Amino acid sequence: MDPTSTPAPFSPTDPNTEGPARPRLWLAALALLLIGTVWFMQRPAPENSAEAQDAKVGLNVKAPTSDPLIMIGKLVLAWGEVPEFQGALRSQVDGSGLGGGEPAWDVREAMLLIAAGEADAPGAPAGAFMAPKPRSISERLDAAATACDPASPLLEDIGVAKSILSAMSDAPEGTARRAAAAAAIKDLTATQTAALQNRHGWFAEALLAAGDPGSAVIAQAKRQSTVFLTFAVIVGCLMLLALLAGFGLLITALVLLVKGRLRSKFVRPPPLADDQPAWAAHVWLETVCIFAGGFLAIKLALLALHEFDASEQAMTIVALGGNWLLATAIFWPVVRGMNWRMWRERIGWRANRPGPAGVAAEVGCGVLGYFCALPVMIVTVILAFVIGLIFKALTGQEPISPRQINKVEELLSTGNIWITIIVVLLAVIWAPIVEESIFRGALYRHLRRRWSVVLAGLITALAFAAMHPYALLQMVVVGALGLVFAMIREWRGSIIPCATAHFIQNAVAVSAISVLGPLMRG
């Protein structure tokens, strides 16, 4: 269907019929300002220098509630004694690099290895590029003691860990070693036990269960690790097949494109007719501005609530409710006077064939498009990883914090069933519909009136990435995904395939968070 042939696209009662409009640079500048401000406000917060300095000398130690090392620790407790997993899991602890130079994390790694019954000897070299040199349990504890301020409470924890390690080292492997650990743990005072749990959380619980293979900590680790392993095998196999299919489809698409046999179904916006209102040329950019402005308003409201010490529940309700309300921004052209049929055609909620079969065809193209996106994401991740290694080698700093808070994982961990449902619906329903309507629908259509496929695709990808609260290298991966979605929009002329690919990506991500989240929590 040719959308330019649809009759009466605008309300006949609209008086604004001034003919072709000139570009409104102020509107483009406003969109850039709003998106840039959103990115600035939700970028990962810089490290607090005073807190970082205290952490490096073992002061103001707080127990972690969720951390990648907890996940590694549960896998070690669950599968560490299995020969096929033992070496690989120990190398994950040795080569994780999650300590960040903080003695508290050296102590926690030592606690984990003691809880797992590891010998006081360095593990096998990890073999990974720039991986840290493996250290024994004693070397970890000694390094932590050297780094600590004399007033650090970690010195007491180090003494406790060494006493348990010494008792285990004097006993032969197996049951005798576990009995020695249990005896040493039994000799701890209630004050020592409480202090360990207060400063180290799950790691202290694992250490205190070192002599009891049937403890609740180990039982939980085995249960969650089994779920994770099952998920990893099933999803990993499916993603591998999808990746191989994606490489084949991507190569096929490039060959067809070079031969001129892969044609665009996107109808480039025609020049504005004399009988159309002047705002018709800018209504899609107006839509983007309203969406970005609304998003910014939600952020400012949350800042205000934080300043007034509002409860976490109140802030969550404002954030989630505000996002659902923001979905109405995509209907701004209708408010302006565009009829519903033309709105659907122009923004891209259309199929190239009539009826359910046409919609099903677009959904199928979205699945194929997602397959094609996987190789692009893999290549982008590899490039981002290489850039990160170069950055670390030059500056000595991590380009991406391994402990960066994932807001979705944080909300899913609240245990509130209604919040969980709303968050899942935001990820798999709201995001595919609203974000595709804004970025591949409104913004891409506005840009394609004047600019090329590549330039319009890059700008929409950049705007799409900037609206996500990630570190710079993570934004590059999101931007690459957004660029693929823009190419799908150009190929099909519809955002149904884009929304389908977006849905699959977010569904996989939410599923992974749902499985990994409990594994990373103490």
Side-chain angles (χ1 to χ4, degrees), residues 63 192-202 204-205 208:
Q192 289 175 314
T193 300
L196 282 173
Q197 293 173 328
N198 182 56
R199 287 190 285 267
H200 303 286
W202 180 87
E205 293 177 6
L208 296 173

Side-chain angles (χ1 to χ4, degrees), residues 64-74 200-203 205 217 220-221 224 406-415 420 512-522:
T65 56
S66 179
D67 195 86
L69 189 59
I70 294 178
M71 178 183 71
I72 295 174
K74 289 181 179 179
H200 303 286
W202 180 87
F203 296 96
E205 293 177 6
V217 173
Q220 181 196 55
Q224 292 177 345
N406 185 305
K407 193 64 179 177
V408 174
E409 191 274 331
E410 184 180 306
L411 290 171
L412 289 177
S413 68
T414 60
T420 299
I513 290 173
S514 299
V515 173
L516 292 177
L519 202 60
M520 289 195 295
R521 289 195 296 272

Side-chain angles (χ1 to χ4, degrees), residues 143-211:
T146 301
C148 281
D149 184 276
S152 171
L154 286 178
L155 294 173
E156 180 184 349
D157 302 338
I158 292 169
V160 170
K162 283 188 172 182
S163 67
I164 298 174
L165 178 64
S166 175
M168 293 174 65
S169 299
D170 293 338
E173 294 186 7
T175 306
R177 177 174 290 186
R178 286 196 292 269
I185 292 168
K186 189 176 181 180
D187 290 338
L188 298 178
T189 66
T191 302
Q192 289 175 314
T193 300
L196 282 173
Q197 293 173 328
N198 182 56
R199 287 190 285 267
H200 303 286
W202 180 87
F203 296 96
E205 293 177 6
L207 177 67
L208 296 173

Side-chain angles (χ1 to χ4, degrees), residues 36-75:
T37 304
V38 169
W39 167 80
F40 182 80
M41 290 186 64
Q42 61 181 11
R43 75 195 191 285
E47 189 178 60
N48 185 301
S49 57
E51 290 183 0
Q53 187 58 39
D54 284 348
K56 290 186 181 299
V57 293
L59 298 175
N60 194 24
V61 181
K62 298 178 182 178
T65 56
S66 179
D67 195 86
L69 189 59
I70 294 178
M71 178 183 71
I72 295 174
K74 289 181 179 179
L75 293 174

Side-chain angles (χ1 to χ4, degrees), residues 321-394:
N323 275 286
W324 280 106
L325 183 62
L326 192 57
T328 59
I330 66 177
F331 302 115
W332 175 249
V334 178
V335 176
R336 272 294 216 170
M338 187 179 292
N339 69 39
W340 285 99
R341 183 181 178 188
M342 180 57 68
W343 174 81
R344 287 192 302 106
E345 292 287 343
R346 295 289 197 242
I347 205 168
W349 287 108
R350 56 182 291 274
N352 288 287
R353 288 186 293 170
V359 175
E362 300 305 327
V363 170
C365 289
V367 175
L368 297 180
Y370 178 71
F371 290 170
C372 291
L374 289 176
V376 176
M377 285 195 294
I378 291 295
V379 171
T380 307
V381 168
I382 293 172
L383 289 176
F385 178 74
V386 172
I387 293 171
L389 289 178
I390 295 173
F391 178 87
K392 184 177 179 180
L394 293 176

